[in-house]
Amino acid sequence: MQLPDEMLHSQVADQNKDLLLAAVRQLSLPSGGHVLEIASGTGQHVTHLAAGLPELTFHPSDVNTHMLATLRKRLADEPLNNVCPPRVADAAEPDTWPVPGDTCRTCSPDRTARCEACRTRAHVPGWLDAVLCINMTHVAPPESWRGLLTGAGRWLRPGGALLLYGPFQREGRIPANLETFQQRLQQENPSWGLRDVSELCEHAESCGLRLESDTQPAPNQSLLVWRRRTADPGS
């Protein structure tokens, strides 16, 4: 893929990157741990986190090929030894998520075309120490947040963390100052919109994830952390 002459840049990412770095530090991940970011976007978060947490290995990903091009450009300009090459990964389809040693030469380099073996091969469960997803759930269809929780439950090691950050609704109520935002989202795409924390928690429980913390570190923004249970629910 040809690299863009100019990288996409998000002012919002600059505003919350230190907050998110502090949040990931508080997860107390083991040295040498692996962190997968779903929907890495412009790559501003993953480069900031990797620079601040050199003991961890970060795996950026996105389903959008234009974002992947920006990610590659950013990493070429800001090389970091603890950031793996960006890969195509669809939150809605956990089977597309990267796995250790995922370097198949038959697939296309940007993973937009996957060979039959990679589409059907068994992944390695329990290899991730954390999964991060920032400001994605409200600009993606419901299949994406469901797949995100399912994938986290599948690929996180016991005790591993899923961190979500963004705007949400609660018990069917949208904050008054986000009602116009919600309307704009659904005008752009009827499948988009603020997700309900209670609905996420219900699905997370079925995936073996327990809610560890639910905070609001910034106006209209929630930071949700789940941990992978050490045993499947009911066992």
Side-chain angles (χ1 to χ4, degrees):
M1 177 183 295
Q2 184 178 358
L3 295 180
D5 294 330
E6 295 185 5
M7 292 182 291
L8 299 175
H9 189 86
S10 167
Q11 184 176 356
V12 172
D14 276 343
Q15 292 170 348
N16 61 32
K17 63 183 182 182
D18 288 326
L19 176 159
L20 291 163
L21 175 59
V24 176
R25 281 202 176 109
Q26 289 176 359
L27 297 177
S28 299
L29 302 177
S31 180
H34 289 267
V35 179
L36 170 65
E37 185 183 23
I38 293 291
S40 296
T42 64
Q44 289 163 252
H45 287 132
V46 74
T47 52
H48 187 68
L49 295 174
L53 297 163
E55 71 278 12
L56 300 175
T57 297
F58 288 83
H59 300 262
S61 70
D62 209 287
V63 74
N64 185 304
T65 55
H66 296 294
M67 288 299 184
L68 285 169
T70 283
L71 269 166
R72 291 191 178 93
K73 172 66 174 172
R74 188 174 301 281
L75 290 172
D77 291 352
E78 307 172 37
L80 292 160
N81 292 331
N82 61 329
V83 180
C84 296
R87 293 295 181 87
V88 170
D90 187 347
E93 299 183 16
D95 284 341
T96 67
W97 295 12
V99 296
D102 197 0
T103 55
C104 177
R105 295 182 181 276
T106 305
C107 298
S108 62
D110 61 4
R111 308 293 280 181
T112 54
R114 295 170 67 83
C115 69
E116 183 64 22
C118 282
R119 286 198 300 270
T120 59
R121 73 178 186 167
H123 282 52
V124 182
W127 75 279
L128 289 171
D129 295 278
V131 175
L132 313 178
C133 187
I134 301 160
N135 282 324
M136 184 276 287
T137 60
H138 58 288
V139 289
E143 293 79 8
S144 293
W145 68 258
R146 294 191 187 104
L148 176 68
L149 293 166
T150 299
R154 188 184 302 175
W155 308 131
L156 282 172
R157 64 168 178 79
L162 168 64
L163 184 154
L164 266 62
Y165 180 83
F168 297 92
Q169 59 174 295
R170 294 173 182 272
E171 303 296 337
R173 294 189 295 272
I174 297 172
N177 56 355
L178 289 179
E179 289 178 353
T180 301
F181 179 59
Q182 170 81 342
Q183 292 169 3
R184 289 204 309 268
L185 287 172
Q186 298 199 314
Q187 286 171 358
E188 184 168 351
N189 189 320
S191 70
W192 291 3
L194 303 185
R195 307 307 172 188
D196 198 306
V197 172
S198 61
E199 191 174 5
L200 269 65
C201 286
E202 182 178 356
H203 188 67
E205 281 288 336
S206 71
C207 298
L209 303 167
R210 61 172 178 82
L211 185 66
E212 180 176 79
S213 64
D214 175 357
T215 59
Q216 294 180 290
N220 301 321
Q221 301 291 313
S222 295
L223 195 151
L224 308 170
V225 176
W226 286 268
R227 291 281 181 174
R228 180 70 171 90
R229 294 185 185 277
T230 55
D232 291 333
S235 64

